[in-house]
Amino acid sequence: MVGFQILQRRRQVDARYVQAFADIPVANVSDCMTRLTAGGPRLRPMHKGGRLGGPALTVKCRPGDNLMIHKALDMAQPGDVIVVDAGGDLTNSLFGELMLSYAITRKLAGIVLNGAVRDIDVVSAGSFPLYAAGVTHRGPYKDGPGEINVPVAIDGMVIHPGDLMLGDADGLLCVPYDDVEQVLAASREKVALEQTTIANIRSGKHDTSWVDARLKALGCDPTPR
């Protein structure tokens, strides 16, 4: 029944890709995806520090209700990232200390919540990756509806079950399952290029002639008057 359904995840990114992206900044990956996709600036890391990476187990739930998030915690496999579309509503928190403790014992890779959390003192003191849109003490309801392992969207970023979720201090990004290999190759090239640029900056060999060339192409005289 639409609105109340629990599905199996049919595919997921291989663990070797999760590991391969572990040291690549999310900003570099984003650049290689034409800067067209993002999880929205509202979703920020609530934990003390540390990267997020793993296959998505998706949850769509009614704002203010976390019944299906509890079910997803039971279903998730070690290394999974539970991605919750709760409409971005911050009236009720959908995740707190007890659920966090359970997620850690389940060896999950992280939680992404387009909604609010509570028990922020505990969350912010730990290293378990948890991204959310806000904080409130008011607790959730457990009545549904909700769906598990269906496509969800967060601020225009569409996440399918099994896609690769990445997160660092800059924010969140979803790499679609079918694009992982291509994006990984491009991201590695991007990292290598930036390392070369940094080396040139430090050695005094950095070439900025492109700035004036760009200004001229746009019809702006780059010479100060």
Side-chain angles (χ1 to χ4, degrees), residues 127-190:
S127 59
F128 181 84
L130 198 166
Y131 289 73
V135 179
T136 182
H137 59 76
R138 186 189 294 184
Y141 300 97
K142 295 173 172 57
D143 303 307
E147 300 180 318
I148 296 178
N149 282 325
V150 297
V152 298
I154 298 176
D155 284 358
M157 181 176 71
V158 178
I159 305 104
H160 289 84
D163 285 349
L164 176 62
M165 286 300 301
L166 300 174
D168 62 16
D170 284 340
L172 295 160
L173 182 64
C174 172
V175 183
Y177 178 93
D178 291 327
D179 299 332
V180 168
E181 185 73 49
Q182 177 184 352
V183 173
L184 175 60
S187 299
R188 284 173 167 166
E189 290 181 6
K190 176 70 172 177

Side-chain angles (χ1 to χ4, degrees), residues 69-93:
I69 304 176
H70 282 279
K71 178 60 178 177
L73 286 170
D74 286 337
M75 292 175 58
Q77 300 297 311
D80 280 351
V81 175
I82 294 180
V83 182
V84 182
D85 173 15
D89 182 81
L90 305 180
T91 307
N92 300 80
S93 64

Side-chain angles (χ1 to χ4, degrees), residues 36-220:
L36 194 61
T37 300
R42 292 189 311 120
L43 267 69
R44 303 304 306 156
M46 298 290 168
H47 55 294
K48 181 170 57 178
R51 288 180 59 97
L52 173 145
L57 189 157
T58 61
V59 181
K60 188 174 182 64
C61 57
R62 178 174 64 87
D65 192 289
N66 73 352
L67 176 62
M68 287 299 184
I69 304 176
H70 282 279
K71 178 60 178 177
L73 286 170
D74 286 337
M75 292 175 58
Q77 300 297 311
D80 280 351
V81 175
I82 294 180
V83 182
V84 182
D85 173 15
D89 182 81
L90 305 180
T91 307
N92 300 80
S93 64
L94 301 182
F95 204 90
E97 181 180 5
L98 299 181
M99 298 172 76
L100 173 64
S101 298
Y102 189 42
I104 291 172
T105 64
R106 298 281 293 168
K107 295 181 171 30
L108 303 190
I111 304 291
V112 173
L113 178 63
N114 191 14
V117 298
R118 65 179 179 180
D119 303 322
I120 191 61
D121 286 346
V122 174
V123 173
S124 63
S127 59
F128 181 84
L130 198 166
Y131 289 73
V135 179
T136 182
H137 59 76
R138 186 189 294 184
Y141 300 97
K142 295 173 172 57
D143 303 307
E147 300 180 318
I148 296 178
N149 282 325
V150 297
V152 298
I154 298 176
D155 284 358
M157 181 176 71
V158 178
I159 305 104
H160 289 84
D163 285 349
L164 176 62
M165 286 300 301
L166 300 174
D168 62 16
D170 284 340
L172 295 160
L173 182 64
C174 172
V175 183
Y177 178 93
D178 291 327
D179 299 332
V180 168
E181 185 73 49
Q182 177 184 352
V183 173
L184 175 60
S187 299
R188 284 173 167 166
E189 290 181 6
K190 176 70 172 177
V191 169
L193 179 61
E194 289 200 353
Q195 289 174 343
T196 299
T197 300
I198 290 172
N200 287 337
I201 290 172
R202 291 173 177 170
S203 66
K205 299 178 181 177
H206 185 47
D207 181 9
T208 62
S209 60
W210 68 269
V211 178
D212 285 356
R214 181 61 177 155
L215 288 170
K216 288 179 180 178
L218 292 170
C220 175

